[in-house]
Amino acid sequence: DADAVCGILVELLDSSGAEEEGYLLGYQLCFDLVIEGSAGFVAQVAAKLPKKTTAADTVQAAVEGEEEAVEVTNSNDTNNSRSDEVWSRYEQAQKVLTGGFVSELTLQFLYKHNDADPLIMSNLKKSLESSSSSGSAGTKNSVLHNAAVMTHAVLNAGTTNDAFLRDDLAWMRKANNWARFSAVASLGVIHANHTTEAMTLLEPYLPKDNNNDGGSGSNAYAEGGALYALGLIHASTSIPTASRTTIAAYLQSQVRAALEGNNETLLHGASLGLGLVQFGTMDMVSAALLKEVLYTDSAVAGEASGIGLGLILCGHAGATTTAEMKEYMEELQNYAQETQHEKIIRGIALGLALMHYGLEEQSDAFCDAVLLSSRDPILRYGGMYTLALAYIGTGNNAVIQKLLHAAVSDVSNDVRMASVIALAFVLHNTPDRVPELVQLLLESFNAHVRYAACMAIGIAMTGTFHSASLKLLEPMLDDPTDFVRQGAMMGSAMILQTSNPAVAPESRALRDRLVSTVGDKHMSVLTKMGAVLATGILDAGGRNVTSSISSSQSSAVGMALFLQHWYWYPMMHMLSLSLTDPASACYSFGLTGDFHFPKSFQVQCLAKKSLFAYPKKLEEKKEERKIRVETVWLSTTAKSKAREMRKGKGNTASSSSKGGAEAAAAGDGVAAMDVEEEKASSTLMEEGKTLLPAVTTTAAAEPPSSSNATSLEQSKGTKKSKKHHHPSEANSFIIANPSRVTSHQVQFCKVDSSQRYVPVVPEKMRQPYGVIVLRDTLPDEAVDKDEMGKIKAPTEEFEAEPPEEFEWAPPGHPEYVAPTPIVSAVDEGDKEKEDDAEGDVKMEEGDENEEAKS
């Protein structure tokens, strides 16, 4: 009820006196609404909040009509009773609800804490190139190349880091047709929530104004992908309302232009993009435009328009007060029965499922009469997803029975697959029940059911490191069917998101398995594709996000649409809705009432730091080249040998002859060294056995004496003893503000109530996770500006702060201050080089003096 929520917010924001901290609770409520609610509901609440009006507004209202003038005047009477401080609170609340502040938080966190390993993509690219060079079909190369591009997007989702794509443009150009569409659209996954730079980033790919028909050939695929990318960037429910409105108007114009040019590629990208931008807003203008695209009876464009309609009207099928909504439902139902295109039918079926999101019993009549009882398997397929989304998280036993019955009795493999996956959605609030339910289905004779069971376990247990679930999926990695192995790899990767070998030893084995699968030339395409995608899912979003569906509406919808990549690869990008949603980011962000984050605020984690650290990055293997070197025979060694020979002279004839030779050599040490060096080098070249990495001496080649051996053993023993006595790791550590906090880590986190800034919501009622509004326990004390951090966009991250105010005085003025000379990094480097050169000269002079003395 938007009215009830608005009333609570007004009461909190207007609080004063003893309840002065109530407005902080209002801020916390705003953050929770944006993170966990739908865009449409948040917009309704924001529209009902009071707004400060001025005299100009009253005059304008009087011009438009007397009734409106009276209404505004009455509201002014209430508005004038609020102080400027209270109105500033409403501005802050609007900043959270419609100003996109939450998306700025998420963007800054993912940008600054990005820990994606660049070697993962480099090694993946090399493995795919080496395996494809053995002479396989072009289709195989295209599928794996497309999967690799998507993996890069998932690895860097929301981080704005697209350096790999820019550095390997030649590799990117291998994508053709729809693969190029997907490649350009992947930029939207990487730059999700980066609304301020969206048009600038995609400008090279967007349709030009002088070519409104969308072009032809390969340009149309790139342009359609760019329009799709715009939608992915603005898909989050937390983006600014102004940006959403601007981009929606742009995409509407592109849809109209593509309709005139009859370009289905552009229509496909623009329809998906418009649906994502208007996700959950129930904008009927955009819906009418997509309905027009649907009636073109184009298979590709019609599928996108059906899904787009579902996104715009998500969760609004039960809006009984809107006659237009009922009309849309009937038209979609009739058109699905008339058209001959399976893609259009599937798009309509999914759109209807999205419209019934969260409606529970209100969806039963339509679902049973239209979808589940249909003779068309595609509509029954949509019925399974309708049950999944309508009853998401409810655990309704009657729905579970329906899904299990369809899983074992329906004649369509696709319907069976959808029914098993739907179990993960219905039971996501009690995820431990999913592995128990589908355990027997993992042994089904039907490969589609086994694949669905793997994906259901992965979706339900995302980011939990659940060992029992991983053991269930382990034998499926060797399943005889290739796409079952694909599902097992992706499901295992979902379970192990944000893990490391210390807390989940299975993650190391899975990483090794994925690398070996990608590099195996004899592995099937679908299995390799699963390994490539699982590589990205495992380290998604710079290792800072999970694809959990238990967070918000957009994450659940994103996962449901991602699963449609089974039929259409561009649907892979929909996983971005789950990954870049603010509720999916693993962070703890403490904010004060002015929306700055105090660096002194800390959270204590009562566990070892290594359990929640980032996984160790890969190390680039360097080829060690062994260099053949000559053993140097020093003159001092020759002299010592000569002395030993003299002492043993006369024992045997051979020893006396050797002693004479050494004595002669002792007379001229330099000559002896040259002779020994020639002998040693010739011996090494003849035998060809000695490969030394560094210069050694003859003393090193001799066996050590007993005293030396004893000291060597003692030193080894000392080293061993030191190696075994590492300092023990502390059982707790401090988490700074802001910082990465995984969902598995929250249970060990605790806030110290003795610090200056503490959560406004008690710890018993709310875990220290996500956005935390803080109250100042010492409001009378001064605040150090250096201790307060500000939220910055990635483009502003490296900009210097503006200087403090000052008054300039010319030279000669009593208050003139001479400027401080600035030494650039280049000058400092030159100075260091000069100092090094002077030092080298002095060292050379010292060596010459020593030689002269000797």
Side-chain angles (χ1 to χ4, degrees):
D1 187 352
D3 292 325
V5 173
C6 181
I8 295 173
L9 265 180
V10 170
E11 183 179 351
L12 291 172
L13 295 176
D14 288 341
S15 60
S16 60
E19 302 176 353
E20 189 173 359
E21 294 177 352
Y23 75 94
L24 295 177
L25 286 172
Y27 292 163
Q28 186 69 70
L29 178 58
C30 290
F31 280 114
D32 294 344
L33 277 175
V34 173
I35 292 174
E36 299 181 7
S38 64
F41 183 76
V42 172
Q44 290 178 17
V45 174
K48 293 178 182 297
L49 285 177
K51 295 178 178 59
K52 187 176 183 180
T53 56
T54 61
D57 297 330
T58 307
V59 172
Q60 181 66 27
V63 173
E64 294 178 358
E66 293 182 1
E67 295 182 0
E68 294 181 6
V70 172
E71 186 177 347
V72 173
T73 303
N74 293 335
S75 64
N76 267 339
D77 295 337
T78 307
N79 291 341
N80 292 333
S81 64
R82 295 187 174 95
S83 63
D84 292 339
E85 181 184 357
V86 174
W87 280 121
S88 66
R89 298 174 185 175
Y90 280 96
E91 292 176 0
Q92 292 285 73
Q94 290 288 358
K95 182 179 180 180
V96 176
L97 294 173
T98 61
F101 184 70
V102 177
S103 65
E104 292 179 15
L105 286 177
T106 307
L107 182 65
Q108 188 196 38
F109 173 78
L110 294 180
Y111 171 76
K112 294 190 69 174
H113 292 78
N114 179 22
D115 195 63
D117 192 348
L119 280 181
I120 290 179
M121 279 307 300
S122 299
N123 295 343
L124 184 62
K125 175 189 168 188
K126 292 177 183 176
S127 298
L128 292 178
E129 287 177 347
S130 61
S131 62
S132 63
S133 61
S134 58
S136 56
T139 304
K140 175 181 178 181
N141 295 339
S142 176
V143 170
L144 296 180
H145 182 274
N146 185 39
V149 172
M150 185 59 204
T151 294
H152 172 262
V154 173
L155 282 171
N156 298 280
T159 64
T160 73
N161 179 20
D162 57 0
F164 178 80
L165 295 182
R166 299 185 184 278
D167 294 341
D168 292 272
L169 288 176
W171 181 72
M172 281 291 296
R173 290 193 185 98
K174 293 181 180 179
N176 294 315
N177 301 332
W178 286 107
R180 178 169 295 186
F181 176 95
S182 296
V184 176
S186 68
L187 293 173
V189 180
I190 298 171
H191 293 276
N193 295 322
H194 198 188
T195 56
T196 55
E197 300 292 329
M199 295 298 291
T200 305
L201 290 166
L202 297 172
E203 185 180 5
Y205 308 102
L206 290 171
K208 306 299 185 240
D209 293 337
N210 57 357
N211 190 18
N212 289 333
D213 61 348
S216 59
S218 60
N219 282 341
Y221 293 100
E223 292 171 356
L227 297 176
Y228 186 16
L230 269 181
L232 292 169
I233 292 174
H234 295 81
S236 175
T237 56
S238 62
I239 65 167
T241 304
S243 298
R244 185 191 302 276
T245 305
T246 304
I247 298 301
Y250 173 78
L251 288 173
Q252 287 172 2
S253 65
Q254 292 299 324
V255 170
R256 295 188 183 97
L259 279 171
E260 294 176 3
N262 195 24
N263 190 318
E264 68 173 4
T265 308
L266 268 183
L267 283 173
H268 184 80
S271 299
L272 289 175
L274 184 58
L276 289 168
V277 171
Q278 299 284 29
F279 175 47
T281 60
M282 201 177 175
D283 182 69
M284 304 312 291
V285 175
S286 300
L289 199 57
L290 292 186
K291 186 173 68 171
E292 188 178 349
V293 175
L294 181 68
Y295 287 151
T296 60
D297 206 39
S298 169
V300 174
E303 181 184 32
S305 62
I307 295 174
L309 279 169
L311 289 169
I312 295 172
L313 305 175
C314 184
H316 293 291
T320 55
T321 57
T322 308
E324 196 173 2
M325 189 67 209
K326 295 181 180 179
E327 182 182 348
Y328 270 90
M329 300 284 291
E330 294 176 358
E331 288 184 7
L332 290 176
Q333 172 189 346
N334 295 332
Y335 193 73
Q337 296 172 353
E338 294 173 2
T339 184
Q340 301 298 317
H341 296 289
E342 291 187 358
K343 290 178 72 67
I344 294 179
I345 300 173
R346 183 172 289 108
I348 291 175
L350 290 171
L352 292 172
L354 295 175
M355 293 177 193
H356 288 86
Y357 181 92
L359 295 183
E360 299 184 20
E361 289 84 0
Q362 296 181 40
S363 64
D364 286 347
F366 180 85
C367 187
D368 292 338
V370 178
L371 300 177
L372 296 181
S373 60
S374 174
R375 298 179 62 182
D376 190 336
I378 301 178
L379 289 178
R380 295 201 306 275
Y381 173 87
M384 297 298 112
Y385 275 101
T386 302
L387 291 175
L389 295 176
Y391 286 89
I392 185 167
T394 60
N396 189 289
N397 288 328
V399 174
I400 293 173
Q401 290 179 0
K402 285 183 181 180
L403 295 174
L404 289 174
H405 178 72
V408 297
S409 63
D410 200 281
V411 295
S412 171
N413 288 331
D414 290 348
V415 177
R416 287 187 173 193
M417 181 173 64
S419 63
V420 176
I421 292 176
L423 291 170
F425 287 82
V426 177
L427 294 171
H428 83 73
N429 282 333
T430 53
D432 293 337
R433 292 179 59 189
V434 176
E436 299 174 0
L437 275 176
V438 304
Q439 184 174 1
L440 293 177
L441 297 177
L442 288 171
E443 302 175 4
S444 171
F445 70 93
N446 191 307
H448 290 73
V449 172
R450 297 200 302 273
Y451 166 84
C454 293
M455 292 300 294
I457 293 175
I459 293 169
M461 309 302 295
T462 294
T464 60
F465 324 147
H466 196 246
S467 58
S469 299
L470 291 170
K471 288 180 181 177
L472 288 176
L473 294 180
E474 187 176 358
M476 310 309 294
L477 294 171
D478 298 314
D479 194 272
T481 308
D482 51 4
F483 61 80
V484 176
R485 297 195 294 270
Q486 178 191 105
M489 290 178 185
M490 290 195 291
S492 300
M494 289 179 182
I495 296 173
L496 292 172
Q497 281 179 332
T498 69
S499 68
N500 63 22
V503 67
E506 298 90 348
S507 64
R508 189 191 303 276
L510 180 63
R511 291 180 189 275
D512 295 340
R513 180 68 174 257
L514 297 178
V515 172
S516 61
T517 302
V518 173
D520 191 349
K521 297 181 180 180
H522 305 289
M523 199 64 69
S524 66
V525 181
L526 288 180
T527 305
K528 277 192 175 184
M529 176 184 166
V532 173
L533 291 176
T535 301
I537 293 172
L538 189 59
D539 293 330
R543 297 173 172 173
N544 289 313
V545 301
T546 62
S547 56
S548 174
I549 64 172
S550 60
S551 51
S552 65
Q553 183 187 54
S554 61
S555 60
V557 170
M559 180 58 70
L561 293 179
F562 164 73
L563 294 169
Q564 310 312 312
H565 76 268
W566 180 275
Y567 309 98
W568 188 236
Y569 286 156
M571 289 292 105
M572 291 180 187
H573 301 74
M574 291 295 184
L575 186 62
S576 170
L577 273 69
S578 295
L579 298 176
T580 60
D581 188 77
S584 300
C586 303
Y587 62 66
S588 174
F589 228 124
L591 298 174
T592 58
D594 55 359
F595 292 170
H596 295 163
F597 56 91
K599 300 176 183 177
S600 59
F601 174 69
Q602 296 176 341
V603 177
Q604 186 179 16
C605 183
L606 304 177
K608 293 183 178 180
K609 190 173 184 179
S610 60
L611 296 177
F612 309 108
Y614 288 111
K616 187 178 179 181
K617 290 187 177 182
L618 300 176
E619 296 180 359
E620 192 170 2
K621 295 181 179 180
K622 297 181 180 179
E623 297 182 0
E624 297 181 359
R625 296 183 178 179
K626 296 182 179 181
I627 304 174
R628 186 186 299 275
V629 296
E630 297 179 353
T631 305
V632 178
W633 300 77
L634 302 178
S635 59
T636 54
T637 305
K639 290 179 181 179
S640 61
K641 278 199 167 190
R643 292 192 202 99
E644 292 177 1
M645 290 298 182
R646 279 197 220 100
K647 291 178 182 179
K649 187 179 180 181
N651 293 337
T652 59
S654 60
S655 63
S656 63
S657 62
K658 285 184 179 179
E662 295 294 340
D668 187 2
V670 177
M673 183 180 73
D674 295 339
V675 172
E676 294 295 339
E677 183 176 350
E678 290 176 3
K679 289 181 179 180
S681 61
S682 61
T683 305
L684 291 174
M685 295 299 292
E686 290 174 2
E687 295 179 359
K689 294 180 180 179
T690 307
L691 290 173
L692 301 176
V695 178
T696 57
T697 62
T698 54
E702 294 177 358
S705 60
S706 59
S707 60
N708 291 338
T710 305
S711 61
L712 184 63
E713 290 176 0
Q714 290 176 354
S715 64
K716 286 182 178 179
T718 305
K719 288 180 180 179
K720 287 181 180 179
S721 62
K722 287 182 179 179
K723 187 175 181 181
H724 288 293
H725 290 287
H726 286 299
S728 58
E729 186 179 3
N731 291 325
S732 65
F733 65 98
I734 299 298
I735 301 173
N737 182 38
S739 187
R740 174 183 186 254
V741 177
T742 65
S743 57
H744 188 68
Q745 183 181 0
V746 176
Q747 56 186 320
F748 303 103
C749 292
K750 182 181 179 182
V751 177
D752 184 7
S753 58
S754 63
Q755 54 187 330
R756 177 171 181 176
Y757 296 97
V758 296
V760 67
V761 179
E763 189 177 0
K764 295 180 180 179
M765 301 173 62
R766 180 186 177 87
Q767 294 177 322
Y769 185 73
V771 180
I772 309 168
V773 178
L774 307 174
R775 63 180 179 88
D776 190 355
T777 58
L778 302 173
D780 297 332
E781 292 189 6
V783 178
D784 188 357
K785 293 183 179 180
D786 295 334
E787 290 297 322
M788 302 300 289
K790 295 182 179 180
I791 309 302
K792 295 181 180 179
T795 53
E796 303 173 353
E797 190 64 34
F798 300 105
E799 292 185 5
E801 294 289 340
E804 297 181 359
E805 295 183 2
F806 64 94
E807 293 183 4
W808 178 80
H813 193 275
E815 297 181 359
Y816 172 72
V817 179
T820 305
I822 299 175
V823 181
S824 65
V826 177
D827 296 336
E828 291 179 356
D830 295 340
K831 187 177 180 182
E832 291 178 0
K833 291 180 181 178
E834 292 176 1
D835 294 341
D836 294 341
E838 291 178 2
D840 295 340
V841 171
K842 290 180 180 179
M843 290 178 65
E844 291 176 359
E845 292 176 354
D847 294 341
E848 291 176 358
N849 293 336
E850 290 182 2
E851 291 178 1
K853 289 178 182 179
S854 63

